[in-house]
Amino acid sequence: MKPISPNVANFSAQPADASNGVWLCLVTYTTNPVNEIGQYLPGWQIIWNGVQTFDGNYAFVASDAAGENFALAIRGSLPPKDIFSNWNAFANWILEDLNVVTQSKWPYTSPTVNDAVVSSGAYLAFTNIECMRDSLGSGLSLLQFLQQHVINAGKKLLITGHSLGGNMANVYASYLVQQISVTGYVASKLSLFTFAAPASGNSSFARDLDDKLPNAWHYHNANDIIPNCPVGNLIVLTGLLYTPQPAAYKISVTFKGLTVTLQEAFLMLGGIFLLYDYQQESNHYVIFGTDLYPEYEDNTLEDWFAQAGAQHALSNYATFLGIDLPVITTNSLVRPLVAPALG
C-alpha cells in the first residue's frame, strides 16, 4: 500500500470538534490532566476525574469555559515497553488489547439486535470505566455524573479516545445511548470521535452503533495497523505494508521451526479472525495516508514494527487535522520519539 499525503479537501471537510477530540486525547496522556488541560484547551477544566483502575484504564469529563460543551475522554494503552515492569501496562495489553479471541455478549443494543458481541477485553475495560471512582469527590459514577450534569441539563457531549481509548469510546457510547431517556438528545447533542481505534465487536455491534449514533467520526491512518485489528480482511491487508520498505513480504519470521514471510503470517492470522466477524463502524469512517518514517525503512522485523508504532502515534492523526502536537516524553503513543510503540 503506497503511503499518501493528507488530502487538503478531505481535511477541510472534517468537523471542528475533531480538533477538540485530538487535544482531549493528548490530555489523557499527560502526567497531570487536571492541572494541564488548560495548557492545551484554554478555558476547559476537568470536572469528573477517574481514578486509574487496577489495569490502567483512565477517563475524565471536562467542560469548556461557558459550561455548554462537555467531553468524555478515555485514555489509550499505557506504553508497551512497561509491560514487564508495570502491572497496569501488562494488564492493559494482555487482559484488554490482546484479549480478542473470546467474546462477550453486548446487551446494550437496540431492541431488534440480539446477536451483538464485543471482545472480552473490551467488555472488561468498559466495566472498569463504568465502575471508576471520581477523584474530585463527586461520589457519582461516570454514568450518574453524565446524566445529572450533562444529559439532563441538555448540554452537548463529545466522547473521544485514541487507540484502546477509541475502542472504549465506541463501547461506552453504545452503552450511554441506551441509558439516555431525554427525547431527541442523541441526534442533537451527542457526538463521537475516535482515532486509531481497533474494532470493538462484531458486525452487529458496529451496525447497531452506526444506527443509533449518527454523529460519529472514526479516523484511520492507512499505515496504522491497529485499526485493522482484529478485523479479518483488514489483517490480511496489513500484510501489504509497507511499500516500498520495510515490506512485509520481504521479511521472514520463524515459529516452531516454520519459516514464513510476515505477509504470509498476516494472511493466516486474517483467515482465523474472519470467523470472529469483527467489524469497524461505517459512519464517517475517514481513511487518510501518511508518509513513511525514513528512520525505519530497513527490511527487518524490528524496523517493520518500529514503523508500525510510529504510524500509530496520535500526532499523525493531529497532523491530518492541521494540528502540531507538542512532544510528551512520557508516552510514545502521542508522538514517535526514539522508540515508537504500538498502543
Side-chain angles (χ1 to χ4, degrees):
M1 182 180 297
K2 184 177 180 180
I4 57 176
S5 298
N7 185 287
V8 175
N10 288 340
F11 159 72
S12 64
Q14 306 314 307
D17 278 345
S19 295
N20 281 340
V22 166
W23 285 112
L24 288 159
C25 289
L26 173 73
V27 174
T28 67
Y29 289 122
T30 61
T31 303
N32 192 330
V34 172
N35 290 341
E36 297 180 52
I37 187 171
Q39 299 177 28
Y40 308 109
L41 287 163
W44 283 72
Q45 61 178 334
I46 292 176
I47 55 176
W48 186 97
N49 188 55
V51 176
Q52 179 174 286
T53 65
F54 79 98
D55 49 0
N57 298 126
Y58 169 68
F60 64 74
V61 178
S63 69
D64 66 1
E68 293 297 327
N69 296 287
F70 290 75
L72 165 61
I74 305 174
R75 187 177 66 192
S77 301
L78 296 171
K81 65 181 177 60
D82 296 336
I83 283 179
F84 298 108
S85 61
N86 182 327
W87 163 257
N88 289 331
F90 179 87
N92 221 207
W93 280 83
I94 304 303
L95 299 183
E96 295 177 5
D97 277 310
L98 301 179
N99 191 3
V100 296
V101 176
T102 59
Q103 297 173 316
S104 300
K105 180 175 175 58
W106 183 246
Y108 306 105
T109 59
S110 303
T112 57
V113 178
N114 56 21
D115 59 345
V117 297
V118 296
S119 71
S120 294
Y123 201 97
L124 173 62
F126 157 73
T127 303
N128 289 339
I129 291 170
E130 183 46 30
C131 294
M132 193 177 284
R133 293 181 294 111
D134 178 15
S135 71
L136 300 182
S138 71
L140 301 176
S141 71
L142 178 55
L143 177 62
Q144 290 170 337
F145 189 90
L146 291 175
Q147 285 181 326
Q148 290 186 26
H149 295 276
V150 183
I151 297 167
N152 292 347
K155 306 298 185 180
K156 291 183 178 180
L157 177 65
L158 180 157
I159 301 176
T160 191
H162 166 255
S163 189
L164 175 64
N167 183 343
M168 291 303 94
N170 283 333
V171 173
Y172 198 86
S174 176
Y175 165 71
L176 183 62
V177 170
Q178 292 305 116
Q179 308 305 310
I180 293 173
S181 59
V182 179
T183 303
Y185 181 89
V186 172
S188 62
K189 301 290 186 180
L190 185 62
S191 61
L192 171 66
F193 291 86
T194 69
F195 307 94
S200 306
N202 66 350
S203 56
S204 291
F205 172 87
R207 286 195 301 269
D208 179 67
L209 181 57
D210 282 336
D211 290 343
K212 66 189 183 185
L213 184 52
N215 193 17
W217 295 73
H218 310 279
Y219 292 88
H220 178 173
N221 169 14
N223 282 323
D224 184 354
I225 70 173
I226 297 301
N228 292 346
C229 300
V231 183
N233 62 309
L234 296 183
I235 293 175
V236 171
L237 293 178
T238 302
L240 301 179
L241 300 174
Y242 292 98
T243 302
Q245 61 187 53
Y249 75 91
K250 294 182 179 179
I251 301 168
S252 295
V253 294
T254 301
F255 180 72
K256 292 186 177 181
L258 175 65
T259 298
V260 297
T261 67
L262 190 57
Q263 183 182 55
E264 291 169 333
F266 281 119
L267 179 62
M268 291 185 286
L269 187 63
I272 293 171
F273 274 99
L274 282 174
L275 302 175
Y276 288 81
D277 189 33
Y278 283 106
Q279 185 63 52
Q280 289 283 11
E281 287 68 33
S282 297
N283 279 352
H284 306 115
Y285 197 91
V286 180
I287 301 177
F288 63 94
T290 58
D291 295 325
L292 296 183
Y293 287 80
E295 58 267 46
Y296 308 115
E297 290 190 345
D298 289 341
N299 285 319
T300 64
L301 193 63
E302 293 76 13
D303 267 22
W304 195 93
F305 279 104
Q307 185 69 240
Q311 294 291 338
H312 184 54
L314 179 62
S315 57
N316 296 299
Y317 293 81
T319 298
F320 173 67
L321 294 169
I323 301 169
D324 184 19
L325 290 186
V327 174
I328 295 181
T329 57
T330 57
N331 200 313
S332 56
L333 302 185
V334 175
R335 181 188 291 273
L337 301 174
V338 176
L342 301 180

